[in-house]
């Protein structure tokens, strides 16, 4: 009898609503929401780009010097024998810092611009146009955050012997020789590479996720979080393949500009000279490995980003 009385007096446990996370409820399109998306971008982009440094290292060197390695495997084998694990991951520090900043701008500002363009400024605008405009605007900002670190990374990875052995040395050498402007000399071709890439990445992802849910036959909300993040992974992989192809010529040109631009040479003149040397075919050097790299990278970025949002009690991206 006592135990029944005690049980009756005990208040029932109340589970937090589904949209609550470890930091409480985050209202959609609030300042807290956008800050969470920025942090999610850091978590998604910094570590993933760092993990594929070996792919990026060999790809970038082959873009700049096509005859340096006969194949990617031969490149990794040669680097491993000479320098070990450190050599294979050479350039990881500017990669980690740069792409963490880029992820903050890319994902966080995408959510901001998508809300501003689609909900406030142009509520009747076609959603695909909103996705394209929001991602282009976000990437414009994200590239300004990325550019200094990308410049150092490319110089470190494409010069033999290396331009610098670490991020600090690379930063000091560029600033001492060329000033801060030297860190931004690749910003125009970086925009040329990354803005179309990101427009393709985000718009393709959003549209692919919508198509997947239509094919599955039920609204997104009727699936569990594991299934939703699985859709994010698949949509991310398809988007990654598409944007790797779209942005590859500009990716080659950025690598060449950072390693082969003459002092005082304008961007336009440098690109004309470089194109004259490598031709149209040269713009596609390293495409297969970039498809593998970017497809996998983009898939895991969307998986991590949306898993982070789910952890915070937020809905996954797309499918609405």
């Amino acid at each position: 009898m006592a135990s029944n009385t005690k049980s009756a007096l005990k208040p029932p446990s109340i589970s937090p609503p589904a949209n609550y996370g470890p930091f409480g409820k985050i209202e959609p399109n609030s300042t807290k929401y956008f800050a969470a998306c920025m942090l999610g971008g850091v978590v998604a982009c910094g570590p993933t780009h760092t993990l594929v440094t070996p792919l990026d290292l060999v790809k970038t060197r082959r873009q700049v010097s096509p005859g340096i390695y006969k194949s990617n495997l031969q490149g990794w084998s040669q680097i491993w024998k000479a320098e070990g694990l450190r050599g294979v991951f050479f350039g990881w520090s500017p990669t980690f810092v740069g792409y963490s900043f880029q992820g903050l701008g890319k994902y966080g500002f995408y959510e901001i611009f998508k809300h501003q363009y689609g909900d406030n400024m142009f509520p009747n605008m076609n959603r695909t146009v909103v996705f394209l405009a929001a991602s282009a605007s976000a990437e414009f900002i994200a590239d300004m955050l990325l550019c200094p670190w990308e410049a150092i990374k490319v110089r470190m990875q494409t010069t033999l012997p290396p331009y610098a052995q670490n991020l600090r040395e690379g930063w000091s050498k560029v600033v001492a020789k060329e000033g801060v402007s030297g860190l931004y000399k690749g910003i125009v071709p970086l925009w040329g590479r990354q803005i179309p890439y990101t427009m393709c990445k985000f718009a393709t992802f959003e549209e692919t996720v919508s198509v997947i849910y239509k094919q599955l036959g039920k609204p997104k909300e009727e699936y569990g979080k594991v299934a939703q993040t699985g859709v994010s992974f698949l949509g991310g992989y398809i988007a990654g393949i598409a944007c790797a192809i779209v942005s590859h010529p500009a990716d080659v040109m950025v690598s060449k500009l950072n390693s082969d631009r003459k002092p005082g040479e304008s961007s336009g003149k440098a690109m004309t000279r470089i194109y004259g040397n490598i031709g149209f075919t040269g713009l596609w050097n390293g495409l297969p490995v970039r498809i593998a790299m970017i497809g996998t990278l983009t898939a895991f970025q969307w998986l991590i980003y949306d898993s982070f949002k789910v952890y915070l009690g937020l809905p996954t991206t797309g499918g609405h």
Side-chain angles (χ1 to χ4, degrees):
M1 182 69 180
S3 61
N4 290 338
T5 303
K6 185 176 180 180
S7 175
L9 294 174
K10 184 179 178 180
S13 60
I14 301 175
S15 300
N19 60 344
Y20 273 73
F23 304 109
K25 186 176 183 180
I26 300 177
E27 293 290 345
N29 302 321
S30 64
T31 301
K32 191 175 180 181
Y33 173 81
F34 295 132
C37 292
M38 288 181 179
L39 181 57
V42 172
V43 173
C45 291
T48 50
H49 274 278
T50 304
L51 285 173
V52 297
T53 297
L55 282 168
D56 191 39
L57 173 65
V58 173
K59 172 191 71 71
T60 304
R61 286 183 177 175
R62 294 187 74 191
Q63 286 174 342
V64 173
S65 305
I68 189 171
Y69 307 123
K70 294 180 180 179
S71 66
N72 298 317
L73 289 175
Q74 193 262 349
W76 292 317
S77 176
Q78 185 174 316
I79 295 168
W80 180 271
K81 288 178 181 177
E83 306 170 61
L85 185 63
R86 182 183 183 277
V88 173
F89 276 89
F90 189 65
W92 73 268
S93 51
T95 298
F96 178 76
V97 175
Y99 283 93
S100 292
F101 275 118
Q102 192 212 31
L104 180 151
K106 183 194 298 276
Y107 284 89
F109 281 97
Y110 174 70
E111 299 284 358
I112 291 172
F113 286 120
K114 185 167 71 169
H115 172 59
Q116 289 298 324
Y117 295 161
D119 298 333
N120 295 338
M121 298 172 64
F122 310 105
N124 298 319
M125 180 68 71
N126 178 276
R127 296 302 294 174
T128 301
V129 175
V130 172
F131 301 148
L132 290 169
S135 56
S137 301
E139 190 60 40
F140 182 85
I141 296 171
D143 287 345
M144 289 190 284
L145 301 177
L146 168 65
C147 192
W149 319 100
E150 180 77 355
I152 294 169
K153 176 189 79 75
V154 170
R155 293 183 193 209
M156 287 173 61
Q157 291 183 334
T158 59
T159 54
L160 294 173
Y163 178 84
Q165 292 295 330
N166 54 54
L167 172 58
R168 182 182 299 177
E169 182 185 355
W171 182 283
S172 299
K173 288 183 74 172
V174 174
V175 172
K177 187 176 180 180
E178 305 174 47
V180 175
S181 62
L183 296 169
Y184 282 92
K185 74 178 188 179
I187 186 64
V188 173
L190 188 62
W191 280 328
R193 179 188 81 184
Q194 289 297 133
I195 290 177
Y197 168 93
T198 300
M199 291 171 71
C200 182
K201 173 180 177 175
F202 280 80
T204 303
F205 174 82
E206 295 263 17
E207 296 297 340
T208 300
V209 167
S210 295
V211 169
I212 291 172
Y213 282 115
K214 287 180 181 177
Q215 292 298 315
L216 291 174
K218 292 192 296 184
K220 168 183 172 178
E221 291 73 21
E222 294 187 24
Y223 293 94
K225 298 303 181 184
V226 173
Q228 289 185 28
T229 53
V231 170
S232 296
F233 181 84
L234 178 58
Y237 209 100
I238 294 170
I241 293 172
C243 58
I245 296 171
V246 167
S247 65
H248 191 72
D251 181 62
V252 173
M253 188 59 72
V254 168
S255 297
K256 296 289 282 185
L257 276 171
N258 277 305
S259 66
D260 189 31
R261 185 172 175 182
K262 297 177 180 179
E265 190 177 33
S266 68
S267 296
K269 188 175 180 179
M271 286 189 285
T272 300
R273 177 179 57 81
I274 290 168
Y275 183 80
N277 291 334
I278 66 175
F280 181 77
T281 303
L283 292 174
W284 300 97
N285 285 333
L287 178 59
V289 71
R290 190 159 189 265
I291 287 176
M293 182 182 81
I294 298 299
T296 305
L297 189 71
T298 304
F300 276 102
Q301 283 179 356
W302 279 112
L303 176 64
I304 294 168
Y305 178 67
D306 275 349
S307 295
F308 184 78
K309 289 174 73 175
V310 168
Y311 170 72
L312 295 181
L314 300 172
T316 57
T317 310
H320 298 292

